[in-house]
Amino acid sequence: MVKFIKAGKVVVILQGRYAGKKAVVVRNHDEGTKERGYGFAVVAGVERSPLKVTRNMGKKKVAKRSRVKPFIKVVNYNHMMPTRYALDLEQIKGTISADTFKEPSQREDAKKVIKKLFQERYQTGKNKWFFNKLRF
């Protein structure tokens, strides 16, 4: 079978708390590990996407509505659907490692870094589709 879920691929989460949310694969484990005997991926995604901004809004309001709330999660391959989109994520790869999920404080630090990276990407206008809500 061809391995097509690679790092950088944008996926839609199908099950669980973040069902219907977009995420990008940071690390993939096709064969699984000792603890997880199935294929899985570490993903970073958008829990709450930015709101619509109009021309007559002030700077403060625009800044508040342009916030992105991220999440990081280990997801089974069966619970994600790949899309045709991809993101380059050199900075994100360095922030999330295997031991990030062992302690809540490390997870929070990783989320803060990802939030900053996602907001920068949103402000520059790159990968617009990733930050839009799904239509359904």
Side-chain angles (χ1 to χ4, degrees), residues 7-128:
K9 187 71 136 172
V10 176
V11 295
V12 177
I13 307 297
L14 300 176
Q15 298 287 323
R17 180 179 179 182
Y18 302 112
K21 304 295 182 189
K22 295 174 197 165
V24 60
V25 175
V26 179
R27 285 209 166 77
N28 58 328
H29 302 275
D30 295 325
E31 303 303 319
T33 60
K34 203 177 279 185
E35 301 89 44
R36 302 174 202 275
Y38 49 86
F40 67 92
V42 177
V43 297
V46 179
E47 185 177 340
R48 191 168 46 225
S49 53
L51 299 168
K52 186 178 178 183
V53 175
T54 59
R55 195 184 295 168
N56 59 353
M57 289 181 185
K59 284 184 180 179
K60 193 173 180 182
K61 191 161 191 174
V62 168
K64 192 168 177 81
R65 292 175 75 90
S66 298
R67 288 188 186 151
V68 178
K69 186 177 181 186
F71 69 88
I72 55 173
K73 193 164 178 60
V74 176
V75 182
N76 188 333
Y77 279 166
N78 295 337
H79 301 159
M80 63 174 82
M81 182 177 69
T83 64
R84 64 183 177 178
Y85 298 98
L87 269 139
D88 52 317
L89 53 118
E90 294 305 316
Q91 301 100 339
I92 297 174
K93 261 192 171 180
T95 60
I96 299 176
S97 62
D99 56 303
T100 305
F101 294 94
K102 290 192 171 97
E103 208 166 306
S105 61
Q106 289 179 328
R107 184 184 284 231
E108 292 301 316
D109 293 340
K111 270 196 217 174
K112 285 177 187 172
V113 173
I114 289 168
K115 179 177 180 165
K116 198 176 100 182
L117 293 170
F118 278 174
Q119 280 189 250
E120 276 178 24
R121 190 158 291 212
Y122 175 72
Q123 297 291 346
T124 57
K126 289 184 178 175
N127 311 105
K128 274 191 171 178

